[in-house]
Amino acid sequence: MTSKTESVEPDEIELGAVLSALADPHRRQVVRDLVNDAEGSERSCTSFGLDLSKSTRSHHFKVLREAGLVHQVDRGNRSEVTLRRHDLDARFPGLLALIGSESDG
């Protein structure tokens, strides 16, 4: 069974919340990886190679979801995330391109 986790409406995505979420390097890495994936890509939360505890990873994905950066779908014992590319491009043109061009270091 698939259930979608609630997220912010597109017109409610706030720049402050987005920038706050992106201030953390782990969360920025997740968004950068999604930006550089094919459009519409869905990835498991464990596929990003974050060397963090499960609870810390869950917290980071919650922050990204609540800021409006990702959609999260729960599938049994795993979660999949998708970048809200169209919503973010419409709300903050150029932001995702900037994040995608950032180096890892």
Side-chain angles (χ1 to χ4, degrees), residues 26 29-34 37 41-52 57 61 77-83:
H26 294 106
Q29 175 191 336
V30 167
V31 173
R32 184 174 50 249
D33 289 353
L34 288 168
D37 284 351
S41 291
E42 188 175 275
R43 291 183 55 174
S44 71
C45 293
T46 58
S47 72
F48 295 95
L50 301 176
D51 189 21
L52 303 167
R57 256 194 335 265
F61 284 100
N77 63 351
R78 72 182 202 284
S79 292
E80 304 277 334
V81 293
T82 306
L83 182 66

Side-chain angles (χ1 to χ4, degrees), residues 77-95:
N77 63 351
R78 72 182 202 284
S79 292
E80 304 277 334
V81 293
T82 306
L83 182 66
R84 295 182 65 178
R85 189 180 305 265
H86 293 292
D87 294 338
L88 293 164
D89 282 340
R91 194 91 165 120
F92 310 112
L95 178 65

